[in-house]
Amino acid sequence: MNSDISIFYKRRFIIEVFLKICLCYLLLILPSNLYAQNNNINKKEEYIVINQDTTFTRNVTVTLKQNTSTSVYPIFYDIELEEVSNLKVYIKKGNRFKPYQNPIIQEKDLENEYINSKKIKSIILPPNVEAKISYTVKCSELMYFSTLSFFSYDNIDTLQYKIAVPNTFHFAYNVINKDSLDYLVIDSLQLTDTTLWKIEVVPTKVKPDIFTYFGFYKNLRSPLTRTIVVPKAYQHKEKDYLNDWYIDIINGQRGLDSTVLSKIDALTLGITDSFEIIDTIYSYVKNNFKYVGIEIGMGAFVPYHVNQVFVNKEGDCKDLSNFLSEALNYKGIKSSVALAATYNHISDCNFPSLGSANHLICVAYINNQPIILDPTDPIHLAKTPVQSLQDRSILIINSNGGEFYKINSSPPQQNEINYEIELIAESQKMLMQGTFKIFYKGISGNFLKRSFFDLSDADLNTAARKYYESIFDKHTITNFKINLLDTIVSVEGNLSVNGKIFTDKENQFIFVDFLPAIIEQENRELMLEGIHLGSTIDKKVKLSIIMDQSLEPFSPVEYSFSNKGTSLNFKISNISDLKIVYNYEFLNNHIITDTENISTINDILKSFKKILNEPIILKSKH
C-alpha cells in the first residue's frame, strides 16, 4: 500500500500530485539544469533594511565560483508583494569583477489554479567564469519577513545576513534545528537610530526540492530562523502583534449575508445541543465544500470573504476555517481560527511568525473547552484528534492577544487494534484454515479510512481484501467484510494458510511469518526518521491453532522488550494438548519516528521478524 496515501489527507495528496505535475512542466519550459545543478557559491550576502512604512528591502549579492558548464542562478519572487530591481551581473577579469554585457536573463510566470503570483528570473552564466550577481527585492508587507534560511541546495562557503531595524521596531527571532549547523554567529550593533543585526553561518546543504522555493517545507528537518519585526510597543509581546495583525485581516473577510444565514438556520433547525450544532455545521462544510488552493502572496494568508466561499463552495484551509468559525459564532458558539503547523512542516507553531505555520484551522468552545476542527480533513470527527496536528502547538487568534495551545495525542489505549485469528490445522495437507476478526478503535484505523475514502462498497471490499491478503503474507481470504464506522473499523473473513505447517514421524513444524506486521500501515521493514505513524497505538494480535493430533506440553516461549514509551510482549503457549496460542502486544506512545525513538522501534521490528522466521517445533504424543 502507498504509505503516503495512508498518512496524508487524500485530497491534499491529489493536489500535491497535481502541483508536482505543474512544476515538472516548468522544468521543461525553463533551462534544463535550473533545479538539478549545484552552484558553487563563495559568498551570499543579504542586507535587509526595515523601513518605517513597514515595507522592507533585501539587497542581495552572490559571488559564484567557476562552473565547468553553463549554469543558472534563479531568483524566485512574488509579484503581488515583491519587486525586483537593480539586477546586475558581473564577470571576473583578472582581479576585478566587471559588468557582464547583455547577460541572458529569462523570466517566467508560475500561474495555475493552485499557485499564482510567483515569478522566476533565471540568470544564465557562461562556463569557466567567476561571476557576481546583485539585485534588490522590495516587499510591501513586513510580516512577509518571516524566515531566514540556514540551508541551501547550492554549495555555499559563507552565508551572511545583515538586518537594519529602526529603533521604533523590535526584531525577534528563533533558531530551529540549530544543532545541525557547523558554524553560526548572531550579533547586534546599536547605532544612532538603528540596530544592525549581523548573522554569519555555514549553511547546511540539502537535497533539491522544488517545493521549498514556494515555502512548503515538506518533511524537511533543516536549520531555519523564524523572524518577526514588531513595533517597539509590542516588544516581548510578539504573539499579541501577530494575533492583532491577523484579526484585522479576517475581520475584513467576515459578515454573513442573509442567504448564508438562512442556510445555517435551516441546517440547525430544532437543534439546541451545542455540540450537535457544531457537528452539523462542521459536517456540512466538509461534505459540501471542496478543498482547493495553494496560493502565494497575500492569498497565502488572507482568506476570501465568507460569502464568496459559500457561493463557490470551495476554498483552502483559511477559507473553510474562517467560514466555519463565522457560522458557529452566528449560532452563539464561541469560535475562532488558529495558525497551525502540521507534522510535515519544518517547525512547530510555538513562535509568533508566519514561518511557524503552514495551516489554518477552526477552534470552537463548549464550556470554555476547545474543540479542534479541521474542515480540510474529510474523515476528522469533532472531539477526536486532528491526526496531522497531534503533539503540535497552535496559535489561537482571539481578542485577548492570542493563545498558544498544545494539542496532545490520545494515549495508546484509546487507539487499539485487536486481531483474533482462529485456525484449524490439517497437517497432511500442510494447510490451516479458519476465521479472523479485526477491530480498530479511536483513530488507529484512520489510515484505512483515508486509503479507501470515496470508494463504492464493491470497490472498497475488493481493495480492502487485497490489502489484507498482503497483511497475511498473500494467503487466501474469502467471505471478506469491512465496515468503516465513525469510531470503529471492523474487518472479518475466512483465512486459508498454505505451506506453513509440516509434519514428520515425531514432530510438527509451524511457521507464523504470516502474522500481521507490528506497524502495518508502512510497507518497509525498518522505519526511517520523520515517518508519521498516524497515532499512538496498542496493537494486540492473538492467533489460536487447533492441531489435528495431540502434542506434548511445552514451556511457554516469551519475549519482552520495553524502552522510551515503546514495548513488545510476545508469547507462545499450549492451552491444551490440541491447542496452541500466539499472542503479541505492541504499544507505542510516539506519533513520529525521530532520533530518540527510531533505534528502539527498529530493534523491536528486527527482533519480531527474527521470532516469526523461526519455526516452533511441537512433539507429537505417542
Side-chain angles (χ1 to χ4, degrees):
M1 168 169 294
N2 188 320
S3 60
D4 282 341
I5 295 178
S6 67
I7 295 174
F8 302 140
Y9 298 153
K10 187 169 184 179
R11 291 179 181 177
R12 286 188 191 167
F13 179 83
I14 294 170
I15 290 173
E16 288 180 359
V17 169
F18 181 86
L19 178 57
K20 287 183 178 180
I21 294 172
C22 295
L23 296 176
C24 287
Y25 172 72
L26 266 178
L27 299 183
L28 298 176
I29 63 175
L30 292 173
S32 61
N33 63 345
L34 173 57
Y35 304 109
Q37 69 168 18
N38 290 315
N39 283 313
N40 293 307
I41 296 175
N42 180 46
K43 181 185 286 189
K44 182 177 180 181
E45 302 170 275
E46 286 202 28
Y47 180 43
I48 302 168
V49 179
I50 308 300
N51 302 313
Q52 292 285 359
D53 61 357
T54 69
T55 63
F56 70 95
T57 303
R58 296 169 49 228
N59 301 287
V60 184
T61 301
V62 183
T63 306
L64 296 99
K65 300 177 183 179
Q66 286 190 22
N67 276 340
T68 56
S69 59
T70 301
S71 59
V72 180
Y73 184 83
I75 301 172
F76 286 72
Y77 68 102
D78 191 301
I79 59 175
E80 284 191 6
L81 297 175
E82 296 175 309
E83 177 186 348
V84 178
S85 62
N86 300 324
L87 176 56
K88 298 178 182 179
V89 182
Y90 303 86
I91 298 296
K92 192 171 187 180
K93 294 185 178 180
N95 295 323
R96 298 178 59 188
F97 283 100
K98 296 185 177 182
Y100 183 34
Q101 301 297 328
N102 302 316
I104 301 174
I105 301 174
Q106 297 184 357
E107 188 163 47
K108 299 289 182 181
D109 295 328
L110 177 55
E111 292 184 7
N112 55 57
E113 185 179 354
Y114 299 102
I115 294 182
N116 58 39
S117 79
K118 271 290 185 180
K119 271 196 174 183
I120 307 168
K121 285 184 183 289
S122 305
I123 299 97
I124 316 299
L125 299 171
N128 303 315
V129 298
E130 291 183 50
K132 182 166 69 174
I133 299 171
S134 64
Y135 56 94
T136 298
V137 182
K138 185 172 183 179
C139 183
S140 61
E141 174 54 63
L142 184 54
M143 199 63 78
Y144 214 54
F145 178 44
S146 61
T147 59
L148 295 172
S149 294
F150 290 164
F151 60 88
S152 175
Y153 305 138
D154 298 312
N155 297 300
I156 301 179
D157 293 346
T158 303
L159 176 60
Q160 290 183 341
Y161 292 105
K162 291 182 180 179
I163 308 156
V165 183
N167 289 340
T168 52
F169 290 92
H170 172 69
F171 172 62
Y173 67 92
N174 173 264
V175 183
I176 62 170
N177 298 315
K178 184 178 179 180
D179 55 352
S180 64
L181 291 169
D182 293 329
Y183 178 80
L184 172 65
V185 174
I186 301 177
D187 200 0
S188 64
L189 178 64
Q190 183 64 56
L191 303 176
T192 303
D193 57 358
T194 303
T195 300
L196 183 64
W197 290 84
K198 297 180 180 180
I199 302 174
E200 185 169 314
V201 61
V202 176
T204 299
K205 177 80 182 304
V206 299
K207 294 180 179 179
D209 181 353
I210 186 64
F211 278 88
T212 307
Y213 281 111
F214 305 99
F216 309 133
Y217 302 116
K218 187 178 176 65
N219 291 328
L220 195 62
R221 303 288 185 268
S222 296
L224 184 84
T225 291
R226 299 176 289 184
T227 68
I228 187 170
V229 177
V230 301
K232 200 72 171 180
Y234 280 92
Q235 185 172 351
H236 307 309
K237 296 188 294 183
E238 292 82 10
K239 170 181 63 66
D240 298 48
Y241 182 71
L242 179 59
N243 176 82
D244 295 351
W245 175 83
Y246 204 72
I247 280 181
D248 286 343
I249 285 177
I250 60 174
N251 281 346
Q253 304 303 106
R254 291 190 161 189
L256 298 171
D257 63 24
S258 58
T259 301
V260 186
L261 297 180
S262 296
K263 179 62 178 180
I264 295 171
D265 286 338
L267 287 170
T268 57
L269 183 64
I271 302 175
T272 58
D273 179 74
S274 294
F275 179 74
E276 192 175 349
I277 292 173
I278 291 174
D279 198 43
T280 299
I281 299 176
Y282 187 40
S283 298
Y284 170 71
V285 173
K286 287 193 301 176
N287 295 329
N288 294 277
F289 290 60
K290 184 171 66 172
Y291 172 74
V292 171
I294 298 176
E295 298 186 57
I296 311 295
M298 292 299 288
F301 38 78
V302 179
Y304 287 106
H305 196 280
V306 288
N307 294 324
Q308 185 176 351
V309 174
F310 178 80
V311 170
N312 294 341
K313 294 296 188 295
E314 66 179 31
D316 65 4
C317 60
K318 61 186 179 297
D319 301 316
L320 301 184
S321 294
N322 188 43
F323 176 85
L324 176 61
S325 174
E326 183 74 335
L328 293 175
N329 281 321
Y330 165 66
K331 296 304 297 183
I333 296 171
K334 179 184 173 184
S335 177
S336 188
V337 297
L339 296 170
T342 56
Y343 69 86
N344 61 349
H345 191 48
I346 194 171
S347 61
D348 196 6
C349 190
N350 54 8
F351 179 81
S353 165
L354 289 181
S356 295
N358 66 333
H359 194 38
L360 200 79
I361 60 171
C362 176
V363 181
Y365 293 86
I366 295 180
N367 298 324
N368 291 321
Q369 294 300 309
I371 298 175
I372 309 301
L373 306 170
D374 184 351
T376 68
D377 183 350
I379 71 166
H380 177 248
L381 301 173
K383 289 189 177 180
T384 67
V386 175
Q387 199 153 11
S388 67
L389 299 178
Q390 297 171 97
D391 290 335
R392 304 288 270 177
S393 295
I394 61 176
L395 175 57
I396 301 174
I397 305 300
N398 58 40
S399 59
N400 298 316
E403 174 192 0
F404 282 119
Y405 178 79
K406 179 70 175 290
I407 299 176
N408 295 319
S409 59
S410 51
Q413 292 75 15
Q414 292 183 14
N415 298 317
E416 287 187 5
I417 301 178
N418 286 285
Y419 277 76
E420 291 279 347
I421 309 162
E422 297 184 353
L423 301 177
I424 299 175
E426 299 179 58
S427 55
Q428 296 302 316
K429 298 181 180 179
M430 295 190 296
L431 184 66
M432 292 183 286
Q433 296 186 92
T435 63
F436 67 90
K437 293 182 179 180
I438 314 167
F439 293 95
Y440 299 80
K441 300 178 182 178
I443 63 172
S444 64
N446 276 11
F447 74 98
L448 293 170
K449 296 178 184 178
R450 298 193 195 285
S451 300
F452 305 134
F453 187 76
D454 278 343
L455 292 182
S456 66
D457 289 343
D459 290 341
L460 167 62
N461 252 37
T462 300
R465 180 180 58 78
K466 289 181 179 179
Y467 169 70
Y468 281 99
E469 285 182 343
S470 70
I471 288 293
F472 287 115
D473 197 29
K474 299 182 180 179
H475 290 282
T476 303
I477 291 176
T478 56
N479 297 328
F480 178 81
K481 294 179 182 178
I482 183 170
N483 291 303
L484 303 177
L485 306 177
D486 283 347
T487 58
I488 293 177
V489 175
S490 64
V491 183
E492 62 180 85
N494 294 340
L495 178 64
S496 179
V497 178
N498 192 27
K500 296 298 178 180
I501 183 170
F502 306 90
T503 185
D504 61 19
K505 293 181 180 180
E506 298 185 353
N507 303 303
Q508 287 194 337
F509 305 85
I510 298 178
F511 290 87
V512 292
D513 52 0
F514 59 88
L515 279 179
I518 289 176
I519 301 175
E520 64 185 70
Q521 69 268 34
E522 284 288 335
N523 58 9
R524 62 183 77 246
E525 291 187 357
L526 298 177
M527 298 297 106
L528 304 174
E529 284 190 41
I531 291 179
H532 193 275
L533 298 174
S535 70
T536 59
I537 187 175
D538 184 5
K539 184 172 185 176
K540 301 172 183 177
V541 175
K542 180 180 180 181
L543 166 64
S544 301
I545 303 176
I546 298 177
M547 307 301 294
D548 55 359
Q549 55 183 283
S550 297
L551 305 171
E552 294 286 349
F554 62 89
S555 299
V557 178
E558 296 186 64
Y559 170 86
S560 182
F561 182 86
S562 178
N563 189 31
K564 297 181 179 179
T566 303
S567 64
L568 173 66
N569 293 289
F570 186 93
K571 183 177 181 179
I572 307 173
S573 57
N574 60 327
I575 305 302
S576 69
D577 60 354
L578 284 175
K579 187 175 182 179
I580 61 173
V581 175
Y582 295 74
N583 282 288
Y584 85 74
E585 180 175 6
F586 174 66
L587 190 145
N588 185 37
N589 264 301
H590 306 289
I591 304 296
I592 296 179
T593 57
D594 57 26
T595 303
E596 294 185 359
N597 61 45
I598 188 69
S599 60
T600 297
I601 292 174
N602 281 339
D603 285 346
I604 286 177
L605 293 178
K606 286 184 284 189
S607 298
F608 183 73
K609 182 179 180 181
K610 184 179 179 181
I611 291 171
L612 292 192
N613 285 339
E614 294 178 356
I616 183 169
I617 303 173
L618 307 170
K619 293 187 177 295
S620 301
K621 279 186 177 181
H622 295 290

